[in-house]
Amino acid sequence: MRLVAFGCSYTYGQNLEESQVQPSQYAWPVILSQLTSAPVVNNGKPGSSNLQILNDILNFNFDQGDI
């Protein structure tokens, strides 16, 4: 089971520490994964529109049990 998150700069954690090369370890998906003990896949992309986020969700290869 993985926690899979999609979104924009808020999901990515833009402007938080360590967010220049990869999603920040302080972004909400990481915090939630720590609370649930589930590994996280953070697919947040700064500047993503709602249409882009939907496209990312529809084209993601989910595993059975992903949340």
Side-chain angles (χ1 to χ4, degrees):
M1 175 180 80
R2 303 176 297 176
L3 171 65
V4 184
F6 298 88
C8 62
S9 58
Y10 291 109
T11 304
Y12 183 87
Q14 188 175 17
N15 296 327
L16 296 175
E17 291 182 36
E18 301 179 15
S19 67
Q20 308 313 324
V21 178
Q22 61 187 15
S24 174
Q25 66 177 349
Y26 303 106
W28 69 261
V30 176
I31 304 302
L32 183 57
S33 77
Q34 292 169 349
L35 293 172
T36 60
S37 298
V40 66
V41 178
N42 187 343
N43 290 306
K45 296 177 187 166
S48 287
S49 66
N50 289 335
L51 185 59
Q52 179 63 51
I53 294 166
L54 175 61
N55 187 54
D56 290 345
I57 293 168
L58 294 175
N59 291 301
F60 185 77
N61 187 18
F62 288 96
D63 291 342
Q64 186 171 356
D66 282 348
I67 54 173

